[in-house]
Amino acid sequence: MMKEKTLFERICDRDIPADIIYEDELCLAFKDIDPQSPSHILLVPKSLITRLANATEKEASILGHMLSIIPQIAKQQGFLESGFRTVINSGPDSGETVPHLHMHILAGRKLTWPPG
C-alpha cells in the first residue's frame, strides 16, 4: 500500500501550488498560507524527515544546508538586517501540524519573547 504524501511533499512535487521563493536540489521555501507575521516563510527538505526528533546523523548535512540558506532567503526578502526568527516545531505539543520537518522563518514585525 502506498503511503499518502504529506502536504509539503505534494508542494515539492508541484501537486499543490505554492508561492515558492527559493529552491535548490535539497530544499524548497515558500510563503505560509496562514502567516503569523508580515513575512512568514516555510523552508522544507525535499526528502521526508518527519520531525526534528526523528532526524538521524545522515540527515545532518541537509539540516545544516537548510540553516545556511536562511540568511540568503532573509536577504532576498529584505529582512536580513532588521532580523528574523527561525522556529522548528517537533511533536504535537509544539504546535506541529504537518508531519514533515519544516523551518518557519518569521519577520516583518517586532517579535516578542517568550513566544506562544
Side-chain angles (χ1 to χ4, degrees), residues 22-38:
Y22 176 87
E23 182 175 15
D24 64 28
E25 66 282 351
L26 297 176
C27 59
L28 183 80
F30 52 93
K31 294 184 178 181
D32 194 304
I33 62 167
D34 183 24
Q36 302 302 303
S37 62

Side-chain angles (χ1 to χ4, degrees), residues 39-77:
S39 292
H40 186 167
I41 296 161
L42 299 178
L43 179 61
V44 303
K46 288 183 173 180
S47 59
L48 179 62
I49 303 169
T50 55
R51 62 174 53 130
L52 189 59
N54 297 341
T56 65
E57 185 68 32
K58 75 176 193 176
E59 287 135 353
S61 63
I62 294 171
L63 296 172
H65 173 74
M66 290 173 67
L67 288 171
S68 73
I69 293 303
I70 292 172
Q72 292 177 42
I73 292 170
K75 183 175 183 180
Q76 171 199 21
Q77 296 295 305

Side-chain angles (χ1 to χ4, degrees), residues 11-12 14 16-23 28-31 76:
I11 289 172
C12 288
R14 304 303 199 276
I16 295 176
D19 189 355
I20 297 169
I21 59 161
Y22 176 87
E23 182 175 15
L28 183 80
F30 52 93
K31 294 184 178 181
Q76 171 199 21

